[in-house]
Amino acid sequence: MSIHSEIKKVTTHTLQRMKANGEKISMITAYDYSFARIFDAAGIDVILVGDSASNVMAGHETTLPITLDQMIYHASSVMRGVNRAFVVVDLPFGSYQSNSKEALASAIRIMKETGAHGIKCEGGEEILESVHRILAAGIPVIGHLGLTPQSIYKFGTYTVRAREEAEAEKLKKDAKLLEEAGCSAIVLEKIPADLAKTVAESVQIPIIGIGAGRYCDGQVLVMHDLLGINTEFQPRFLRRYLKLHEEITGAVRQYITDVKSSDFPNEQEQY
Ligand code: KIV
């Protein structure tokens, strides 16, 4: 018997069952093998290879510049570290907005070249044809509504979305459309908690929040924010679990001191 069969992998059915049982879903971003391996072994349910890689890995101001090839590189690295978690990969800006054929081709490249389990894309009604086409090919899709960073130049700011009734109504309608299309889950970013609650109660699929309050079926955070690798980004919704920026700075400073003082390496640290 293979050892792989002993690991109970998280699937779209697991996520569905968790929602039905009221069990919260944990999701975190990852972009490389080493962190993905740690998060998976820690028991995370879902790993998102987010296009936030454009910000936190490549240093761009927005998520727009990252390419499909770059997302595939990150996702295939993540996949080599994962045994249990469900791994979903963002379709990057420009890889799905032109038409549904292009969207399907991009999703297929991700599935074939990375081994990931599904894709995520931003938008509702505007991208519905693409969502249908990708789902028809058997590829799980996670939607993303509310603050959708690929549209940042349309919004103009990263402030809370859907406070106005018209936008809230559209978001509720889009969530229903994505559910009816067959999406496995929806990420809601930076919207009022009461609106997220209404949406979570009105659909059967899991609602994963980021800055969308406590009533969501699960939560997602960007790993660099959660671990305190970023210090500048301090939105109200963020809970930091470590101060890695400080820890790493201290460690590297100590290393520099040890090298310069000839303390490192010592007798035991050489051959
Ligand atoms: O790219 C990303 O990290 C995301 C999360 C913010 C949900 O889409």
Side-chain angles (χ1 to χ4, degrees):
M1 195 176 83
S2 149
I3 55 157
H4 299 295
S5 61
E6 288 168 23
I7 296 163
K8 200 140 179 44
K9 290 180 187 289
V10 179
T11 67
T12 54
H13 297 291
T14 319
L15 302 179
Q16 191 62 60
R17 205 170 46 241
M18 288 171 83
K19 161 123 184 172
N21 294 341
E23 187 187 339
K24 299 273 187 177
I25 297 165
S26 59
M27 179 165 166
I28 190 170
T29 67
Y31 317 97
D32 71 357
Y33 164 79
S34 300
F35 276 109
R37 196 158 173 245
I38 295 172
F39 301 156
D40 187 64
I44 200 82
D45 298 312
V46 184
I47 291 181
L48 168 65
V49 185
D51 60 356
S52 48
S54 180
N55 310 113
V56 296
M57 300 302 287
H60 292 295
E61 203 175 310
T62 73
T63 57
L64 275 66
I66 199 159
T67 66
L68 185 56
D69 283 335
Q70 288 165 342
M71 288 302 295
I72 287 171
Y73 167 76
H74 287 296
S76 52
S77 308
V78 163
M79 287 310 293
R80 285 188 282 274
V82 171
N83 279 318
R84 175 187 170 272
F86 185 78
V87 180
V88 60
V89 183
D90 266 332
L91 283 184
F93 177 70
S95 74
Y96 64 104
Q97 288 90 348
S98 305
N99 58 62
S100 61
K101 270 193 182 170
E102 187 202 34
L104 177 59
S106 301
I108 287 177
R109 275 201 66 198
I110 286 180
M111 300 300 282
K112 280 180 98 79
E113 295 178 39
T114 73
H117 309 128
I119 62 96
K120 175 167 89 55
C121 47
E122 298 182 4
E125 198 170 5
E126 327 57 50
I127 60 154
L128 206 58
E129 190 185 320
S130 299
V131 169
H132 277 290
R133 204 167 191 142
I134 296 168
L135 284 163
I139 301 171
V141 176
I142 292 188
H144 184 154
L145 301 171
L147 175 63
T148 47
Q150 292 178 9
S151 303
I152 186 57
Y153 291 120
K154 184 175 90 180
F155 297 145
T157 77
Y158 285 99
T159 191
V160 178
R161 302 304 314 173
R163 282 198 195 277
E164 306 299 326
E165 198 177 331
E167 196 178 336
E169 285 306 316
K170 175 170 164 31
L171 189 145
K172 285 190 261 183
K173 191 171 155 219
D174 282 342
K176 271 278 172 206
L177 289 171
L178 292 174
E179 177 186 39
E180 283 160 15
C183 284
S184 301
I186 301 171
V187 168
L188 292 184
E189 181 165 353
K190 230 173 170 187
I191 64 165
D194 284 345
L195 175 59
K197 180 172 190 270
T198 304
V199 175
E201 287 171 355
S202 71
V203 297
Q204 303 302 311
I205 57 174
I207 297 297
I208 315 284
I210 174 164
R214 57 191 321 198
Y215 307 111
C216 296
D217 304 303
Q219 298 293 327
V220 56
L221 283 176
V222 169
M223 58 160 280
H224 290 65
D225 302 336
L226 178 158
L227 297 176
I229 298 172
N230 289 333
T231 51
E232 313 80 22
F233 186 61
Q234 294 180 342
R236 168 182 178 158
F237 70 78
L238 174 61
R239 187 179 293 180
R240 285 192 208 285
Y241 289 83
L242 273 180
K243 292 183 175 172
L244 266 193
H245 187 276
E246 271 175 47
E247 294 266 333
I248 293 170
T249 305
V252 173
R253 284 196 178 136
Q254 186 61 54
Y255 169 65
I256 294 166
T257 303
D258 291 353
V259 169
K260 291 195 181 290
S261 65
S262 297
D263 178 80
F264 175 79
N266 63 25
E267 286 292 324
Q268 289 75 45
E269 292 162 332
Q270 63 190 7
Y271 299 99

